[in-house]
Amino acid sequence: IKINLNDGKVLRFKDVNGNDISAFEPGMTVVSDFFVKNEGTGDMYYRIYFSNVEGDLVNVIKVTIKDKDRVIYTGNMKDMDRVHTSAVDDILHINETKTLTIVFELDSNADNSYKSKSLSFNLTAEGTQVRNNPNKEFNK
């Protein structure tokens, strides 16, 4: 199993109109495209989650990850860790690349206590073999 997540490049977020962002304000939505590619020798199930999350904004960010128009994850960022995230409902075939879109929405009810707060994280992709793995289990 070998999975390539965006060639290791940092995500570049834009607002919904495609403009670069300088600040993230309550009610604002930002998006970034990225890809996952199966560079292994067998078909795989995969999952995407956040690791090394730091900062107070994690409590007020809703995340949606889409494959074109199909939502593959949605929920609060703080809940999208390795323990709580399961496999995507499709298979990533050998040499297949999927371009996905991640959407962050800052809760419109976030008060001024979040002003000047920060957020850092690693977006992580993990794969597991399809063969002999009907329950889509990942190594612990």
Side-chain angles (χ1 to χ4, degrees):
I1 298 296
K2 183 177 180 186
I3 192 166
N4 177 342
L5 176 60
N6 212 43
D7 284 336
K9 294 179 182 171
V10 173
L11 299 180
R12 299 287 181 216
F13 286 93
K14 306 243 181 215
D15 67 18
V16 293
N17 297 315
N19 301 311
D20 290 328
I21 60 167
S22 59
F24 199 28
E25 302 171 358
M28 189 173 186
T29 300
V30 297
V31 299
S32 183
D33 290 335
F34 66 98
F35 71 85
V36 291
K37 181 178 182 181
N38 181 347
E39 295 181 344
T41 58
D43 293 342
M44 74 170 73
Y45 299 116
Y46 69 100
R47 64 180 170 180
I48 299 166
Y49 58 90
F50 297 103
S51 59
N52 302 315
V53 178
E54 295 181 14
D56 295 322
L57 289 178
V58 70
N59 297 313
V60 290
I61 299 284
K62 178 184 174 195
V63 177
T64 302
I65 300 176
K66 300 189 291 184
D67 180 358
K68 297 182 180 76
D69 291 330
R70 184 174 64 96
V71 173
I72 58 175
Y73 293 117
T74 190
N76 294 321
M77 185 175 192
K78 65 182 177 180
D79 298 326
M80 293 181 71
D81 59 11
R82 188 173 195 259
V83 173
H84 297 102
T85 305
S86 57
V88 174
D89 283 335
D90 60 358
I91 294 171
L92 193 58
H93 299 285
I94 299 169
N95 294 318
E96 182 179 12
T97 300
K98 288 194 179 272
T99 299
L100 306 174
T101 302
I102 189 166
V103 180
F104 283 5
E105 297 175 63
L106 182 56
D107 188 340
S108 61
N109 295 318
D111 58 28
N112 284 335
S113 66
Y114 289 98
K115 191 174 185 175
S116 300
K117 299 296 181 184
S118 64
L119 176 66
S120 65
F121 59 89
N122 291 84
L123 184 65
T124 304
E126 185 176 23
T128 189
Q129 69 183 20
V130 170
R131 192 171 145 207
N132 300 320
N133 190 6
N135 295 328
K136 302 178 185 177
E137 293 181 17
F138 291 83
N139 291 334
K140 302 213 184 259

